[in-house]
Amino acid sequence: MVYFISDLHLGATYLPDAHAYERRVVDWLYSIRHDATELYMLGDILDYWYEYRTVVPRGYIRFFGALASLADAGVKIYWFIGNHDIWLFDYLRDEIGLTVVDGVLETQILGKRFFLTHGDGVGKLPLIFRGLRSIFRNRVCQKLYSAIHPRWTIPFAHRWSTSSRDFCKDDIPQFSGPSSEPLVAFSESYSSTHPDVDYFVYGHRHVLVDYPLSTGARMIILGDWIHHFSFAKFDGDTILLYRWNGETEEKIGD
């Protein structure tokens, strides 16, 4: 079985109980160990992460341990860089044995063609977002940022993350239709020139979407673990969305 998950935002300061969130994710990771062959984590797994040459941020011990346990059991793990965990370099790759993917991965999975990416770098992007994304990914800017002591950069990053999203409201992000979702437009356009792609899978948008494209392909947006606690499973025949209620999985739509 192949699993897909995104937008856990572990470590976010706006979570009411960060340790409880981590335990919930860890419980899910151990629950898939019996049948998982591959795990694709499509970005924003951590709310903030920056690897210095000899220092990494504290925390996430149980989460990293669960990933290492899966990797040691033979599960292939792919971690896509998102717009929150941009500065993921080689530490987790080397320590856990996972594959870090920056950008798009178009690959064959159990006989089907998948287009996989976080979702922040495709489609029509706001000008300000494009500018910030370029700055954050610029090697010179990264070097300058790393020269600042973490006592300043880490609180700044968490304040930035909190201010960029309003989590005071109880509204759960919802798909408002194909005309207002830029990833639908991108997927339709790309699919029209790449008919061999069967599935487009994204994170980033925090909405749950299973949308049939006009070409016959399907587009999946994985939701998040702030509101939805959602993931997808692919068995070689079909891909389905699920929620994790803390103990068992529940198929979405049932």
Side-chain angles (χ1 to χ4, degrees):
M1 192 72 69
V2 179
Y3 289 84
F4 305 84
I5 192 169
S6 74
D7 295 274
L8 306 182
H9 288 271
L10 287 168
T13 57
Y14 47 72
L15 298 175
D17 188 339
H19 290 296
Y21 272 82
E22 183 178 9
R23 287 193 295 270
R24 187 168 188 167
V25 173
V26 167
D27 288 344
W28 177 77
L29 287 171
Y30 282 122
S31 79
I32 71 172
R33 183 173 176 172
H34 69 287
D35 69 350
T37 57
E38 294 179 295
L39 171 62
Y40 292 85
M41 303 191 299
L42 270 72
D44 286 0
I45 303 304
L46 305 178
D47 195 63
Y48 171 74
W49 181 262
Y50 193 96
E51 293 175 18
Y52 295 85
R53 184 180 298 276
T54 57
V55 179
V56 295
R58 63 187 294 173
Y60 317 110
I61 297 301
R62 291 176 179 83
F63 174 63
F64 292 155
L67 290 181
S69 178
L70 286 177
D72 289 346
V75 179
K76 295 180 180 179
I77 302 173
Y78 300 83
W79 187 323
F80 286 68
I81 291 175
N83 54 298
H84 281 256
D85 46 15
I86 301 170
W87 300 306
L88 189 73
F89 303 127
D90 58 12
Y91 171 69
L92 296 177
R93 181 198 69 191
D94 295 343
E95 290 295 320
I96 295 175
L98 53 79
T99 299
V100 176
V101 181
D102 186 5
V104 171
L105 176 63
E106 195 173 321
T107 187
Q108 203 84 0
I109 303 176
L110 299 180
K112 298 292 185 180
R113 192 74 176 169
F114 278 75
F115 180 100
L116 306 168
T117 190
H118 177 58
D120 65 320
V122 297
K124 187 176 181 180
L125 303 174
L127 181 61
I128 293 177
F129 184 84
R130 290 204 308 270
L132 289 173
R133 190 173 185 274
S134 297
I135 292 171
F136 291 159
R137 289 173 173 271
N138 182 277
R139 292 296 184 185
V140 174
C141 293
Q142 290 174 359
K143 289 291 185 181
L144 293 173
Y145 184 84
S146 69
I148 305 172
H149 196 283
R151 72 163 61 96
W152 304 109
T153 58
I154 292 176
F156 170 77
H158 282 303
R159 285 195 299 272
W160 182 294
S161 173
T162 301
S163 66
S164 69
R165 192 177 297 272
D166 182 4
F167 285 99
C168 296
K169 298 179 180 178
D170 295 325
D171 295 338
I172 298 175
Q174 300 290 339
F175 179 53
S176 54
S179 62
S180 59
E181 177 50 64
L183 291 178
V184 170
F186 170 80
S187 300
E188 287 280 13
S189 175
Y190 192 91
S191 184
S192 68
T193 57
H194 298 77
D196 58 324
V197 176
D198 300 290
Y199 297 103
F200 294 81
V201 184
Y202 306 104
H204 186 52
R205 298 287 292 162
H206 290 250
V207 294
L208 276 170
V209 181
D210 182 352
Y211 183 78
L213 301 175
S214 61
T215 58
R218 285 170 62 190
M219 189 203 75
I220 306 293
I221 303 180
L222 295 167
D224 62 22
W225 275 58
I226 297 168
H227 302 95
H228 299 288
F229 305 100
S230 51
F231 61 97
K233 293 169 61 173
F234 180 63
D235 61 5
D237 181 44
T238 186
I239 185 169
L240 296 173
L241 287 166
Y242 292 81
R243 284 192 179 92
W244 177 249
N245 66 15
E247 296 180 356
T248 59
E249 62 185 32
E250 301 171 347
K251 189 185 299 182
I252 294 173
D254 282 4

